[in-house]
Structure formats: C-alpha cells, structure tokens
Amino acid sequence: MADGDAAAVVVVFDFDKTIIEWDSDDWVITKLGASDAFSRLRPTMRWNPLMDRMMAELHAQGRSADDIRECLNSAPLDAHVLSAIRTASALGCDLRVVSDANAFFIETVLEHHGVLGCFSEINTNPARVDGDGRLRISPFHDPDSSPHGCSLCPDNMCKGKIIERIQATANGKRHFIYIGDGRGDYCPSLKLGEGDYVMPKENYPLWNLISSNTQLLKAEVHPWNNGEELERTLLKLVNKLITPPAQASQFDYKCEMSNPVSTEVGHHQALRVPH
C-alpha cells in the first residue's frame, strides 16, 4: 500500500459495548419497562426473534417507534469514541459497522450523535416500522431459508462471512482494523490476515477467546479497556498505515452532517450510507 492511501484502511466496528458502552437491546427493554416479559420469554426463544417479540410487547404497551428512538437518544456515548470515529473518517478510512443489533437502533444512535455519515456501510439485522407503527426486527441471515453454516456464530448472523465479502471487494489491497468485544466478533477476527489488526475489548468474550489460543490469529492484537484507550489505539494503528495530512485543520469532517438511512432492507443486504 502506498503511503497516504488512507482509503485502503478499512475500520470495522461492532456496535454494542464497542461504539456504545452499553447493550442497546438491554437499554431499551429495561428503560421502557419490558424486563418482566423478557425474563419470561428468554429461556424459550433465540435472541433475534426474541427482540422482535420484545418490540411487539412494547407496542402492546403503547410504546411507539418514536418512544424507542427517544430512549436510545437518552443513552450516553463516550466522547473519545465519537472523536475516534470522526478522526478516522476525516483521515479517509473506510468505516463500517458489523453488528448483531439492528438497523433502527444503530442508525438512531449514530445519527443522534452526528456520526452516521462517517460510515460507508452498516451490516446488521434489518429493522422496519410496519403499518401499525410497530418496530419489526428480522435476521440478517434467515436460518430457515439460507443458513450460514458457521458453527462459531449465532444462526442469524455470521460476521466472518460479512468480513469475507468486504475482503473480496478489496482484492487484497486493503488493511483491516476490527474492533469488537463479543463472542460473535471471534469468527471475523479469524478471517483477518497479516498486516491487519484486531482490537478486542479487554476481559470480554472476544479477548478471552483470542487469549485462549493466540496462535489461531494472523492479525496483530491490540486490546483496549475504555473509550479513551479505543481512540488512542485506533488512531495509533491508522497512523501506522497512512501518512496523515500535514495540517489537521484541513480535515473535512463530512460525518458531522449525516443523512438517515432507510431501515427497509432485505436479508443479506448492507445499508449504504449516503454522504
């Protein structure tokens, strides 16, 4: 990769407990009063259909999609993480989200904090508001009609297959930095090669899985603990891969003016974020 070829750096973010410090499903269920229903149904349902059912419970309680949006917007987001996203985008990196949350939650939070436009693509479970005003959540991979066949991942999403698709469009000319925390982030980490980096959140499932056998990963591992460390570590790695512009004041913070993305998206589709 030639010096200054920032577009050849792909930064992939998980969402829950990575971009945000909290779990978006848990935040909405707890704050909007559906914890009892969640506890009752959790032993009987897989996570993705359970979240769709929880949205039905909230709708039955008179909670609107706008109520869910306001709930998400009330949650804190670390300023260091926002800064990291804006700076990496301004340096020309290609930022993506790969998350087992859902499109409505992710877009709501990123748009509220002014960084939705920093991301070229959001890969997550599709979500839409139906004709009755109820939020519907669908699986990214439909386990019934198109099972992904990966034993490491939940049946509704294999993040490794998403990474492989992004890699296929790169023709081996792009460096990847993958940032995540959960068990579902392990499969995509195994897909990374030499010259790539994985940033696991320390003492979370991804970190524990990597630590159990570090020889399985080809990518270089750089752990982090909090938003400040995420920002410092990410920008250190980006700066290793590119030659930054001479004057930071010339950065075009295009992500501060972001546009909402349609939450109507079919299975296996990523959400394209217009700039």
Side-chain angles (χ1 to χ4, degrees), residues 48 99-104 106 123-127 137-141 156-157 265:
N48 185 254
S99 167
D100 198 7
N102 69 79
F104 185 91
I106 295 172
N123 300 271
T124 189
N125 297 299
I137 300 172
S138 307
F140 184 83
H141 297 291
N156 65 292
M157 174 173 281
V265 59

Side-chain angles (χ1 to χ4, degrees), residues 28-125:
V28 169
I29 289 165
T30 302
K31 296 294 183 182
L32 294 184
S35 296
D36 289 345
F38 175 83
S39 299
R40 184 177 71 252
L41 293 169
R42 177 67 184 109
T44 67
M45 299 181 72
R46 298 191 306 270
W47 191 268
N48 185 254
L50 176 60
M51 286 306 103
D52 183 60
R53 176 66 181 274
M54 286 299 97
M55 297 307 104
E57 293 283 335
L58 291 174
H59 186 256
Q61 293 175 17
R63 300 288 194 173
S64 68
D66 283 341
D67 292 331
I68 297 171
R69 187 176 285 110
E70 288 179 16
C71 176
L72 289 162
N73 289 345
S74 73
L77 204 158
D78 193 304
H80 291 285
V81 176
L82 291 172
S83 175
I85 290 169
R86 290 192 178 104
T87 305
S89 176
L91 287 167
C93 297
D94 179 3
L95 273 55
R96 319 262 183 136
V97 173
V98 178
S99 167
D100 198 7
N102 69 79
F104 185 91
F105 286 11
I106 295 172
E107 291 169 34
T108 294
V109 171
L110 297 182
E111 183 182 6
H112 177 69
H113 292 279
V115 293
L116 180 58
C118 288
F119 294 91
S120 67
E121 186 179 83
I122 296 172
N123 300 271
T124 189
N125 297 299

Side-chain angles (χ1 to χ4, degrees), residues 14-18 20-23 180-186 199-212 223-227:
D14 175 42
F15 183 67
D16 291 317
K17 299 182 181 178
T18 299
I20 57 176
E21 297 178 66
W22 30 282
D23 180 277
D181 72 285
R183 182 174 295 273
D185 297 311
Y186 186 56
M199 290 176 50
K201 193 173 187 178
E202 204 161 3
N203 299 317
Y204 278 72
L206 174 59
W207 165 252
N208 294 333
L209 285 165
I210 290 173
S211 300
S212 68
W224 56 281
N225 264 307
N226 53 46

Side-chain angles (χ1 to χ4, degrees), residues 138-216:
S138 307
F140 184 83
H141 297 291
D142 189 329
D144 298 321
S145 65
S146 55
H148 58 65
C150 174
S151 61
L152 292 175
C153 294
D155 60 6
N156 65 292
M157 174 173 281
C158 173
K159 293 185 177 183
K161 291 193 180 303
I162 297 170
I163 291 298
E164 286 180 328
R165 176 187 59 77
I166 300 171
Q167 288 172 325
T169 66
N171 298 319
K173 297 179 181 179
R174 308 175 91 180
H175 291 268
F176 283 74
I177 302 173
Y178 189 99
I179 311 169
D181 72 285
R183 182 174 295 273
D185 297 311
Y186 186 56
C187 178
S189 297
L190 293 172
K191 305 294 184 185
L192 301 177
E194 294 180 7
D196 295 332
Y197 300 93
V198 59
M199 290 176 50
K201 193 173 187 178
E202 204 161 3
N203 299 317
Y204 278 72
L206 174 59
W207 165 252
N208 294 333
L209 285 165
I210 290 173
S211 300
S212 68
N213 190 347
T214 56
Q215 301 304 311
L216 294 178

Side-chain angles (χ1 to χ4, degrees), residues 1 6 8-11 88 91 93 175-179 192 195-200 219-224 229-244:
M1 183 180 68
V9 180
V10 181
V11 184
L91 287 167
C93 297
H175 291 268
F176 283 74
I177 302 173
Y178 189 99
I179 311 169
L192 301 177
D196 295 332
Y197 300 93
V198 59
M199 290 176 50
E220 202 172 287
V221 180
H222 291 262
W224 56 281
E229 287 188 7
L230 184 155
E231 179 183 26
R232 184 169 64 247
T233 303
L234 174 60
L235 298 183
K236 179 186 69 176
L237 295 178
V238 168
N239 280 307
K240 282 178 68 174
L241 294 171
I242 68 172
T243 301

